[in-house]
Amino acid sequence: MWLAAAAPSLARRLLFLGPPPPPLLLLLLSRSSRRRRRLHSLGLAAMPEKRPFERLPADVSPINYSLCLKPDLLDFTFEGKLEAAAQVRQATNQIVMNCADIDIITASYAPEGDEEIHATGFNYQNEDEKVTLSFPSILQTGTLKIDFVGELNDKMKGFYRSKYTTPSGEVRYAAVTQFEATDARRAFPCWDEPAIKATFDISLIVPKDRVALSNMNVIDRKPYPDDENVVEVKFARTPVMSTYLVAFVVGEYDFVETRSKDGVCVRVYTPVGKAEQGKFALEVAAKTLPFYKDYFNVPYPLPKIDLIAIADFAAGAMENWGLVTYRETALLIDPKNSCSSSRQWVALVVGHELAHQWFGNLVTMEWWTHLWLNEGFASWIEYLCVDHCFPEYDIWTQFVSADYTRAQELDALDNSHPIEVSVGHPSEVDEIFDAISYSKGASVIRMLHDYIGDKDFKKGMNMYLTKFQQKNAATEDLWESLENASGKPIAAVMNTWTKQMGFPLIYVEAEQVEDDRLLRLSQRKFCASGPYVGEDCPQWMVPITISTSEDPNLAKLKILMDKPEMSVVLKNVKPDQWVKLNLGTVGFYRTQYSSAMLESLLPGIRDLSLPPVDRLGLQNDLFSLARAGIISTVEVLKVMEAFVNEPNYTVWSDLSCNLGILSTLLSHTDFYEEIQEFVKDVFSPIGERLGWDPKPGEGHLDALLRGLVLGKLGKAGHKATLEEARRRFKDHVEGKQILSADLRSPVYLTVLKHGDGTTLDIMLKLHKQADMQEEKNRIERVLGATPSPELIQKVLTFALSEEVRPQDTVSVIGGVAGGSKHGRKAAWKFIKDNWEELYNRYQGGFLISRLIKLSVEGFAVDKMAGEVKAFFESHPAPSAERTIQQCCENILLNAAWLKRDAESIHQYLLQRKASPATA
């Protein structure tokens, strides 16, 4: 076997600590210093500038909102009446509230037992989204009354309109909400901060043939005076809750219904005629509620939970208490036409949002600085829930590829941020809905859960939820509960992970001492630009697990590394046994082994003696070390070739992702085709074993793997795959043999990548004919693979057409940018040329950040960083400032990587081609 023969030479050629030989270390530090100076010269190394901001004064606060809204689904306006029972804590004649895009008609105040007084003025502070109501006398506890009007906007935030088509083909609109983070103020004047909680009595005045929903159950529905076609729907009073969790929906929907084993009414609302597509999510939700109730030992506090599919929706889903809103693709599953990855996605999203009903809704973060408490926790426990419901998904291995590595990629940048980040002005809040708050948050919770143990973790969670239910909490409150439950120094450990950005690289070398193995460990901050420069290197308290080949699935030793360097002794480890750090890839750090340690680990990839998640982690660590310039990319390519026998879907998925990153980098060179030959060589064996059609006994992960491998081979131009894809596509289009849902994405991608204008026209026709949003999205995501510049322009024009939902335009443009070198340039030009329209559509939300990231971070030329920075200096996007800096940093890192390794990669690929047996 090639790897066994090549391993000693390979391991010696890799750079391992530690520490490195002084001349090489100086070279690496020099490179790192030059890259950081380049960042500073472009103004990219500093965090976004904080805008002046003050939270609402505490002199008046709400106790209860009585809110009545009447949306007009034809003119796209709404009328509102608010009566807010308010407590006056400090003498004042003014009330300061949040208000945005709302016109107040009248405002008055009725003190308890006294005459009503009218406001003498409304002072709007539009920049801070506030209004100050002034009154002629000092206020006492009483009721604030406001009549107002607003617009059902088309920005997918606040109270907005969502376009849908009826089964008869008529275009209509629903009125729906999206309030997180700071958009309840666009639906009604309110104290729109998470810590200012109150109860809500909500009424909606709506056409009688429309469904009206809110957080609570309906308690009354009666005709509206003077209009027989309108009804007033009243909902039960909510528990004490934050404004961002309020929701209401008015539209046409079908539903499916069941009850959980705890008696909670569960409904899934779907577009009319598609109730069957809600059954899978209903099944997941009905299993999930009891799971969380048992895990937290706290009952779900509302009588019902509704899950509803919204046509136009910016996020994946929103956890409004009792009325969870979703994109259609995050909730609906067609039994015949949905693919395996869509089922898994729906299960994860449902698990995530229902976790928030406890962690976020029952107990809410005190301020957006602690957003990660909501999102990081839910992003972790969604996997725990799906693992409970669908153990066949092997979902924890997928977590490492989907969340853990994604978070490390972002957190290695100089322009990352701590998990706990100071937030003030509303424009800053959307910036932290990113992989740090979600994926890094989930990863450190996973590491903490492993460090504490499940029993004490559940005990601590119950203490936390019980103590702070219907209240607000900060990160420190969670640490205190978990510390009391476990007796471990949770706050001391976790503060090193949440209050400083980044994560460590653990260097390890070993020495055999008689029957024992002595390990020397050292930690230093891992940086995407190379070794950390400076004496002030941050330190972490790192829970470390160590396993050996004696039992690869069991931790032989667990330690807490609480200093820069330490040594540990493993008892009774034979000289021929390997030793590995980070069992299960649970600790949030990267590992760099000495040459001898790596040499002993590499055969475990080929013979599969290393567990799948550890094979994945080892490969991913090596790839990241190469991107940072610490080892050669060529050596990582050699390791990738060892995966010839790999059977695991998630390992292949991570390998595919890394080869995709490398392919994008090398698209800037004239030897892009050579790396595609490498891809074909790596993926051909597994492609031949899998074939095109499912075999008896295969399951969920086999379907995912087949789609991944065929897509990779097809895109790379593998002849047999391309021919079969074209044959199956032709039969599909002609109706002879409809493609299975799991094969559509790889086939569509392959025929488009190697097709012409006729192929694109057929795909656009299929898109128009598709009745299911999942199918439309499937087509939209691959359109950017089309090869010619003329066709790329056609796809970009299509992205802004009425055929594409507003939230999906981003995916189409991003697909073009990621599809080819020509596509990347065309997408960037398209964004610049259409910036006003795109910014007007997405400003103030996370979609603008996603659009920018997908479109520019694939560049690998220094000057592009300056061009991108200059454009956004003249076209500001405040909610995307940090994203822009991260993208520019990534462009510079790509350029440095290309300059450093392109020639050696090219030579290696040529060597393989000339002599594949010895490459």
Side-chain angles (χ1 to χ4, degrees):
M1 289 168 49
W2 174 83
L3 183 61
S9 171
L10 167 61
R12 282 194 293 272
R13 288 198 302 271
L14 290 167
L15 168 62
F16 296 99
L17 290 194
L24 186 50
L25 177 59
L26 290 174
L27 173 62
L28 290 170
L29 294 175
S30 174
R31 287 176 181 168
S32 184
S33 298
R34 286 200 300 272
R35 284 192 285 272
R36 288 195 175 86
R37 285 198 296 271
R38 179 72 171 139
L39 284 174
H40 282 286
S41 71
L42 289 173
L44 299 175
M47 288 295 180
E49 186 175 335
K50 295 290 183 183
R51 298 175 64 181
F53 175 77
E54 291 184 4
R55 289 170 66 169
L56 293 172
D59 45 14
V60 181
S61 59
I63 301 169
N64 169 267
Y65 294 85
S66 179
L67 176 65
C68 182
L69 292 168
K70 183 182 180 183
D72 188 321
L73 301 177
L74 298 177
D75 291 338
F76 307 135
T77 59
F78 62 88
E79 302 171 7
K81 289 183 177 292
L82 171 67
E83 294 190 4
Q87 181 178 8
V88 178
R89 301 174 184 275
Q90 187 172 331
T92 182
N93 69 332
Q94 293 184 329
I95 296 177
V96 182
M97 310 172 70
N98 293 113
C99 183
D101 304 330
I102 294 286
D103 290 325
I104 295 176
I105 308 301
T106 63
S108 62
Y109 193 86
E112 291 180 352
D114 208 339
E115 291 186 5
E116 187 171 326
I117 55 176
H118 291 274
T120 56
F122 317 140
N123 179 21
Y124 294 95
Q125 298 100 55
N126 292 331
E127 182 77 8
D128 289 332
E129 299 180 347
K130 295 176 182 176
V131 63
T132 301
L133 308 178
S134 298
F135 295 91
S137 58
I138 299 298
L139 302 176
Q140 301 172 17
T141 294
T143 302
L144 173 65
K145 301 179 181 181
I146 300 177
D147 290 352
F148 58 94
V149 294
E151 177 192 9
L152 290 174
N153 68 70
D154 60 355
K155 313 297 184 197
M156 295 184 288
K157 61 183 181 179
F159 198 15
Y160 70 93
R161 61 185 186 264
S162 173
K163 184 170 71 172
Y164 63 96
T165 303
T166 67
S168 64
E170 182 183 351
V171 173
R172 293 181 181 172
Y173 291 85
V176 302
T177 58
Q178 170 57 38
F179 290 164
E180 190 178 26
T182 57
D183 291 314
R185 64 194 65 178
R186 299 180 197 281
F188 57 100
C190 56
W191 290 263
D192 198 12
E193 295 182 359
I196 307 179
K197 289 188 169 187
T199 57
F200 290 82
D201 294 305
I202 294 173
S203 299
L204 297 174
I205 299 171
V206 302
K208 67 179 183 180
D209 61 350
R210 296 296 191 267
V211 172
L213 301 170
S214 189
N215 304 83
M216 296 296 289
N217 51 298
V218 175
I219 56 173
D220 191 26
R221 181 183 175 97
K222 62 184 179 182
Y224 190 66
D226 304 324
D227 192 338
E228 62 180 12
N229 295 314
V230 176
V231 294
E232 181 176 2
V233 182
K234 290 187 177 182
F235 300 89
R237 177 169 290 187
T238 71
V240 173
M241 60 188 283
S242 303
T243 49
Y244 80 89
L245 296 169
V246 173
F248 18 90
V249 173
V250 179
E252 296 175 282
Y253 300 94
D254 286 341
F255 68 86
V256 288
E257 178 181 5
T258 190
R259 285 193 178 271
S260 73
K261 71 176 186 180
D262 299 315
V264 178
C265 179
V266 184
R267 286 183 175 180
V268 174
Y269 284 84
T270 74
V272 173
K274 297 184 178 181
E276 185 182 36
Q277 295 182 22
K279 289 182 178 179
F280 178 74
L282 185 72
E283 174 192 341
V284 175
K287 290 180 180 178
T288 297
L289 283 177
F291 172 78
Y292 287 143
K293 180 252 185 183
D294 293 341
Y295 193 85
F296 298 130
N297 197 22
V298 175
Y300 175 72
L302 304 187
K304 63 93 173 178
I305 182 78
D306 295 331
L307 295 74
I308 184 167
I310 304 296
D312 294 322
F313 198 75
M318 175 61 207
E319 68 266 20
N320 317 296
W321 214 355
L323 176 57
V324 185
T325 45
Y326 295 79
R327 278 194 189 192
E328 289 184 5
T329 52
L331 189 68
L332 304 182
I333 291 296
D334 186 309
K336 295 181 180 178
N337 294 299
S338 288
C339 61
S340 299
S341 60
S342 292
R343 291 174 181 274
Q344 180 175 297
W345 173 242
V346 168
L348 284 168
V349 178
V350 170
H352 181 103
E353 303 308 328
L354 295 192
H356 278 309
Q357 306 302 303
W358 285 264
F359 213 92
N361 299 4
L362 183 64
V363 178
T364 311
M365 74 237 153
E366 193 278 334
W367 184 243
W368 300 108
T369 296
H370 306 283
L371 171 71
W372 88 277
L373 271 182
N374 283 16
E375 301 302 348
F377 185 86
S379 296
W380 169 75
I381 205 169
E382 70 184 61
Y383 283 86
L384 193 72
C385 174
V386 169
D387 188 52
H388 167 77
C389 295
F390 304 98
E392 67 273 18
Y393 285 7
D394 185 28
I395 204 68
W396 280 117
T397 304
Q398 295 192 57
F399 174 90
V400 175
S401 182
D403 280 84
Y404 175 98
T405 57
R406 177 169 167 253
Q408 288 190 332
E409 184 176 331
L410 179 57
D411 206 29
L413 298 178
D414 289 343
N415 283 293
S416 181
H417 65 83
I419 285 178
E420 292 184 72
V421 59
S422 177
V423 174
H425 194 275
S427 67
E428 298 169 7
V429 177
D430 286 308
E431 283 196 284
I432 62 171
F433 282 83
D434 63 3
I436 300 301
S437 295
Y438 283 72
S439 297
K440 183 181 179 182
S443 297
V444 299
I445 288 287
R446 175 171 172 252
M447 178 174 64
L448 176 63
H449 173 265
D450 185 71
Y451 172 61
I452 293 176
D454 188 63
K455 181 180 178 181
D456 286 343
F457 188 87
K458 289 167 69 174
K459 180 180 176 183
M461 292 308 307
N462 174 261
M463 292 167 61
Y464 172 79
L465 290 170
T466 302
K467 181 177 181 179
F468 294 100
Q469 59 183 319
Q470 298 193 7
K471 299 175 184 176
N472 296 84
T475 300
E476 291 74 19
D477 298 315
L478 177 59
W479 298 161
E480 182 181 9
S481 294
L482 292 172
E483 198 160 296
N484 289 337
S486 68
K488 294 184 176 180
I490 304 303
V493 171
M494 295 308 294
N495 285 344
T496 68
W497 296 97
T498 65
K499 294 185 181 299
Q500 61 184 3
M501 73 180 197
F503 59 93
L505 174 63
I506 305 297
Y507 303 91
V508 55
E509 57 182 359
E511 178 184 348
Q512 189 73 23
V513 181
E514 296 180 349
D515 294 331
D516 304 330
R517 194 74 57 88
L518 172 66
L519 301 184
R520 297 185 182 89
L521 311 177
S522 61
Q523 63 163 297
R524 197 163 183 85
K525 185 179 187 294
F526 180 79
C527 299
S529 57
Y532 184 86
V533 179
E535 298 299 322
D536 58 340
C537 186
Q539 298 292 312
W540 288 263
M541 296 179 71
V542 190
I544 290 179
T545 53
I546 305 172
S547 60
T548 72
S549 51
E550 182 181 14
D551 190 342
N553 296 294
L554 180 68
K556 188 175 182 70
L557 184 66
K558 293 185 176 183
I559 59 171
L560 182 65
M561 186 176 182
D562 56 359
K563 58 190 71 171
E565 297 178 356
M566 67 186 304
S567 296
V568 296
V569 175
L570 294 178
K571 294 290 186 180
N572 301 316
V573 177
K574 298 176 181 177
D576 61 348
Q577 291 180 351
W578 54 252
V579 172
K580 185 184 180 298
L581 268 62
N582 206 4
L583 173 66
T585 318
V586 172
F588 196 73
Y589 56 88
R590 293 204 179 276
T591 307
Q592 189 173 2
Y593 294 95
S594 69
S595 58
M597 292 187 74
L598 180 73
E599 180 180 326
S600 67
L601 284 166
L602 291 179
I605 295 175
R606 186 180 287 270
D607 66 19
L608 308 180
S609 59
L610 275 170
V613 70
D614 290 296
R615 299 196 296 270
L616 187 160
L618 184 61
Q619 180 269 141
N620 197 277
D621 280 349
L622 291 172
F623 186 76
S624 295
L625 291 169
R627 291 182 77 179
I630 298 174
I631 65 174
S632 166
T633 305
V634 168
E635 309 307 339
V636 182
L637 291 174
K638 294 178 180 179
V639 171
M640 288 178 171
E641 291 181 290
F643 286 84
V644 63
N645 298 318
E646 181 59 56
N648 185 274
Y649 159 71
T650 310
V651 177
W652 276 114
S653 178
D654 194 71
L655 190 66
S656 172
C657 178
N658 290 338
L659 279 172
I661 291 169
L662 188 58
S663 294
T664 298
L665 182 78
L666 297 181
S667 69
H668 294 83
T669 71
D670 58 2
F671 59 92
Y672 175 75
E673 290 306 318
E674 278 86 343
I675 192 64
Q676 298 313 299
E677 290 298 320
F678 180 87
V679 170
K680 286 185 280 187
D681 288 346
V682 170
F683 279 82
S684 290
I686 183 66
E688 291 173 6
R689 290 200 299 270
L690 286 168
W692 279 83
D693 299 308
K695 301 175 180 64
E698 286 189 349
H700 174 78
L701 293 171
D702 299 294
L704 293 180
L705 179 57
R706 179 172 289 107
L708 172 76
V709 171
L710 292 176
K712 202 72 176 178
L713 287 170
K715 185 177 181 182
H718 184 258
K719 184 178 179 181
T721 304
L722 177 56
E723 289 175 354
E724 183 65 10
R726 284 172 170 163
R727 184 188 71 78
R728 291 184 181 237
F729 181 70
K730 183 174 181 292
D731 288 350
H732 176 73
V733 172
E734 293 175 355
K736 295 178 181 177
Q737 182 67 51
I738 300 301
L739 283 165
S740 70
D742 287 314
L743 289 181
R744 289 181 197 174
S745 284
V747 168
Y748 292 168
L749 173 67
T750 299
V751 298
L752 272 169
K753 180 69 176 177
H754 305 283
D756 54 18
T758 301
T759 308
L760 179 61
D761 288 341
I762 293 172
M763 291 302 304
L764 293 177
K765 183 179 179 181
L766 290 175
H767 181 277
K768 191 174 185 68
Q769 293 172 344
D771 179 55
M772 190 173 66
Q773 194 61 33
E774 178 187 328
E775 176 72 356
K776 287 184 181 291
N777 286 171
R778 188 159 33 228
I779 294 169
E780 289 162 358
R781 284 194 295 267
V782 300
L783 290 176
T786 195
S788 77
E790 295 79 14
L791 298 180
I792 286 170
Q793 287 302 319
K794 186 174 182 178
V795 172
L796 288 169
T797 301
F798 172 76
L800 279 178
S801 72
E802 288 292 317
E803 296 292 325
V804 179
R805 291 200 175 277
Q807 68 266 24
D808 298 323
T809 295
V810 174
S811 297
V812 179
I813 298 174
V816 170
S820 66
K821 182 178 181 179
H822 294 302
R824 187 159 48 246
K825 293 178 179 178
W828 173 232
K829 184 177 186 302
F830 185 80
I831 284 176
K832 292 187 291 184
D833 292 344
N834 295 275
W835 178 251
E836 184 176 350
E837 180 178 351
L838 290 166
Y839 185 66
N840 184 53
R841 180 184 288 191
Y842 302 126
Q843 64 175 308
F846 69 90
L847 282 177
I848 196 69
S849 294
R850 183 163 179 247
L851 175 67
I852 294 167
K853 176 181 171 65
L854 289 175
S855 302
V856 305
E857 72 171 2
F859 286 110
V861 181
D862 282 350
K863 68 177 183 179
M864 282 306 304
E867 181 179 321
V868 171
K869 178 176 181 289
F871 177 80
F872 288 111
E873 283 178 343
S874 58
H875 302 79
S879 65
E881 285 182 18
R882 182 179 276 110
T883 297
I884 293 164
Q885 291 184 339
Q886 290 166 348
C887 288
C888 291
E889 183 179 351
N890 268 318
I891 293 170
L892 294 176
L893 290 168
N894 289 341
W897 187 14
L898 192 64
K899 291 173 187 175
R900 185 178 64 243
D901 281 3
E903 182 56 31
S904 62
I905 294 171
H906 191 199
Q907 290 303 314
Y908 174 69
L909 296 175
L910 290 175
Q911 179 191 354
R912 287 184 79 259
K913 188 174 182 180
S915 182
T918 58

